[in-house]
């Protein structure tokens, strides 16, 4: 994913629901949040990556009805280091 752009995602797993909250997190940064759409058992959506985002691997978490899935899944954000 490139800062300043939108990027789609597909997450495979169990117990997902339509409109689940999907976050990207990175130390020292604000979360990047998207609302997922459930399509044939897969959670899909689009992250809008702020231009100021720090490049590197960001942690992915999925929030469904107060439960959090955090299986150490990493999402790469490209760009120049600040």
């Amino acid at each position: 994913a490139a800062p300043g752009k939108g990027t789609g995602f597909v997450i495979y797993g169990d117990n997902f629901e339509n409109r689940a909250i999907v976050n990207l997190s990175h130390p020292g940064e604000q979360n990047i949040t998207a609302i997922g759409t459930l399509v044939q058992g897969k959670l899909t959506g689009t992250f809008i990556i702020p231009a100021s985002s720090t490049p590197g691997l960001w942690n992915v978490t999925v929030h469904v009805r107060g439960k959090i899935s955090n299986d150490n899944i990493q999402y790469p954000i490209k760009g120049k280091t600040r």
Side-chain angles (χ1 to χ4, degrees):
K5 307 219 179 222
T7 183
F9 64 83
V10 178
I11 301 174
Y12 298 85
D14 297 317
N15 303 313
F16 292 142
E17 292 182 9
N18 197 44
R19 304 205 41 82
I21 298 170
V22 183
N23 282 318
L24 297 179
S25 60
H26 191 274
E29 296 280 335
Q30 289 188 351
N31 285 353
I32 299 169
T33 301
I35 304 300
T37 301
L38 195 62
V39 178
Q40 297 178 346
K42 298 172 279 206
L43 203 54
T44 66
T46 301
F47 290 117
I48 304 300
I49 309 298
S52 61
S53 296
T54 300
L57 295 175
W58 287 55
N59 190 50
V60 178
T61 56
V62 179
H63 302 254
V64 178
R65 293 186 190 215
K67 295 182 181 179
I68 299 172
S69 173
N70 183 6
D71 294 333
N72 197 31
I73 304 300
Q74 303 291 301
Y75 194 91
I77 293 183
K78 300 176 183 177
K80 297 177 182 175
T81 51
R82 295 187 260 172

